[in-house]
Amino acid sequence: MKMIFLVDGDNNIGTGLKGIDMLSGEDAVLVFYQKSGLALSKIQKLCAGTKADVQYVESVRGGKNSIDFQIITELGVLVGKREADYAYVISQDKGYAASIDALRARYADAFQEVALRPSIEDCLHLPFVLKAESRQDLQNALVKEYGAAQGGALYNHLKAVFQAPESAAEPEKAAKTARPRRNSRRKKPAAEKASE
């Protein structure tokens, strides 16, 4: 499952890059930025520690909405080439919603999911599991995510699974016993031969 994240460097990039450390080497992050915005060296520090392929894309033109148009153009190309199963625009700017809705309406068969999210972390399934540092954290997160009844039941099931003793390795299959061949004479044991 390849995920591509198109990050708006003009819109709360610190929040947007939250969760980048949870990505795999299979994922790609394209960070769009302007020379007049946050320095590239600071953006690179925010991306340090990720396994994902990170690319820094400088805006071709300055000015209002230039990065927005560049991100939507890139997203359209990715969807058109079918290069991403999951593609996310990372921004708190709601202006992307109409373009993303248009892509969904026209090219729904080209991807699994295309969406606008405020941060990378918000795109990941079950990030709360990765954040849990104790059993109580995990229980609280499951309850928050699934509600008291289902979250509690899920936690209790996981607890029982992990506390159960590991099943013993399957016993080795007994060695095959030799069977006499059909139409062959069976050797008589020495005791039988002596009595003859």
Side-chain angles (χ1 to χ4, degrees):
M1 170 177 91
K2 182 174 183 177
M3 295 190 288
I4 297 182
F5 303 89
L6 297 93
V7 181
D8 183 345
D10 280 352
N11 195 284
N12 295 324
I13 191 167
T15 299
L17 291 171
K18 191 174 176 189
I20 195 169
D21 57 319
M22 294 185 214
L23 300 180
S24 73
E26 190 176 296
D27 302 319
V29 178
L30 282 68
V31 180
F32 294 80
Y33 71 98
Q34 292 192 48
K35 274 188 180 177
S36 60
L38 189 62
L40 179 58
S41 61
K42 290 184 179 179
I43 295 171
Q44 289 171 329
K45 281 183 184 176
L46 291 171
C47 296
T50 186
K51 293 176 186 169
D53 174 30
V54 181
Q55 300 171 33
Y56 303 93
V57 184
E58 186 178 336
S59 178
V60 178
R61 286 188 137 171
K64 186 177 180 184
N65 295 331
S66 63
I67 284 183
D68 300 4
F69 293 125
Q70 200 166 335
I71 287 173
I72 288 301
T73 301
E74 187 74 28
L75 180 61
V77 170
L78 290 170
V79 168
K81 289 183 172 181
R82 297 176 185 260
E83 289 187 10
D85 296 323
Y86 298 85
Y88 301 98
V89 173
I90 305 300
S91 180
Q92 295 179 16
D93 181 349
K94 304 293 183 210
Y96 292 103
S99 298
I100 290 172
D101 288 346
L103 281 172
R104 278 195 205 118
R106 186 162 169 88
Y107 300 102
D109 63 333
F111 52 82
Q112 295 291 320
E113 182 176 33
V114 170
L116 170 65
R117 300 280 165 77
S119 73
I120 290 172
E121 184 178 60
D122 289 317
C123 304
L124 304 176
H125 299 287
L126 305 178
F128 58 88
V129 172
L130 299 174
K131 286 182 180 179
E133 294 179 3
S134 69
R135 291 177 185 169
Q136 189 62 51
D137 287 349
L138 180 59
Q139 184 177 17
N140 293 342
L142 289 168
V143 167
K144 183 177 179 184
E145 185 72 17
Y146 297 107
Q150 290 183 357
L154 182 56
Y155 175 78
N156 289 333
H157 175 71
L158 290 172
K159 184 177 172 185
V161 167
F162 287 111
Q163 288 181 342
E166 287 293 321
S167 59
E170 287 186 32
E172 291 183 28
K173 291 184 179 178
K176 289 184 180 178
T177 54
R179 281 196 218 161
R181 291 185 193 168
R182 288 188 181 181
N183 300 328
S184 68
R185 292 173 40 194
R186 195 174 133 199
K187 290 185 179 180
K188 292 182 180 179
E192 284 181 32
K193 284 182 183 179
S195 64
E196 287 180 1

